[in-house]
Amino acid sequence: MTRRSILVGTGSALPRTRVSNDELAKRVDTSDEWIVERTGIRFRHIAEADETTGTLAADAARHALAAAGLVPADIGLIIVATATPDNTFPATATKVQALIGAPDCIAFDVAAVCSGFLYALSVADSMLRTGAAKHALVIGSETFSRILDWEDRGTCVLFGDGAGAVVLSAEEVADDRGILATRLHAEGQYGDMLYVDGGPSTTGTVGHVRMQGREVFRHAVTNLAAVLGEVLADVGLSAADIDWVVPHQANKRIIDATAKKLGLPAERVVLTVDQHANTSAASVPLALDLAVRDGRIRRGDLVVLEAMGGGFTWGAAVLRV
Ligand code: UT7
């Protein structure tokens, strides 16, 4: 028997307001045609004042707990991956804990931007396997709309708000269910290619997203194909064994190019970027939840998750659901 982290529930939450490319084009110098052709994005959800990273995360967590058949008191660990926390501190994870009514447990945030969910998943997996908790909530939640420069058409059309959550349970298993391997990377020398130009210790302001899009694009395809190869090699499997890839939803062209490099057919790739745009740390768990709820991802499937973002940071995970 092996102690593994098993995926027992997923959930997600989106802000009420959905904005189409045409609506965006009324206030930004852009067009539906340009956005769809360059990114595949058609819609994004934008948070209203009463919707925050914390409230969206709590809603996603409630849905994931219900799917898992668990209650807040069962949870021993809450990790929120976010680059847009409600406050500099306390951690948004503690806000989620209070909102869902979970008693004393471990709760903290992880900051790895778009790869944040992969980082959080890997940390949670390690902690569950070493006995820190029995059940964990791992959440990616963002309100990137709050840190966009709405005058910069090169970035503001690309992002959206939302949250996704999973519940992991530590179980002794005799089969190959659960998280089988994770791989994480960071190369800080590329920090100025995708960053926020503010922060508590530098400008004392929140700042706005800045990006060298073409450079990010180039690194994303190379790094994502490489890390997917690594994580599959770790478990002795190949692209042909994968039932579903749930990629970070930044740009359809990045997703297509990465799948092509690995020889993965488009039918096995979960795509939500058209509906949600890039929701940073929320994008992978949000896409995962949709594919679980619409019946595409079923028990026994081999699923690979991957993401790349600011830092640069990137990572992948392979799990049998
Ligand atoms: O989570 C990871 C984070 N980010 C990413 O993964 C994003 C990675 N990068 C990308 O997805 C792409 O680089 C973008 C979608 C951001 C840009 O696509 P691109 O094909 O690299 O376009 P570009 O930045 O080279 O711009 C091409 C043209 C420029 O005009 P000129 O100089 O050729 O006349 C831009 O000014 O498109 C123009 N442009 C726009 N036009 C209409 C840039 N943004 C827009 C816009 N609407 N929103």
Side-chain angles (χ1 to χ4, degrees), residues 9 37 78 94 129 144 166 197 224 244 257 265 270-271 282 299 309 311:
E37 188 188 309
I78 303 172
T94 59
R129 282 190 290 110
F144 253 56
V166 301
D197 62 1
L224 290 171
W244 290 101
V270 176
L271 201 72
R299 194 167 176 156

Side-chain angles (χ1 to χ4, degrees), residues 50-68:
D50 64 327
E51 295 169 313
T52 70
T53 294
T55 66
L56 291 167
D59 285 344
R62 288 187 192 98
H63 294 308
L65 280 170

Side-chain angles (χ1 to χ4, degrees), residues 28-31 34-35 38-39 114 153-154 157-159 194 211-214 216-217 220 248 250-251 253-254 278 308-310:
V28 179
D29 180 15
T30 189
S31 65
W34 190 94
I35 300 172
R38 303 286 177 129
T39 72
C114 298
R153 66 178 182 171
V157 304
L158 305 174
F159 295 91
L194 177 51
M211 180 171 70
Q212 295 178 36
R214 286 212 167 168
V216 178
F217 192 109
H248 173 46
N251 185 320
R253 284 158 57 217
I254 295 177
N278 181 349
M308 146 100 190

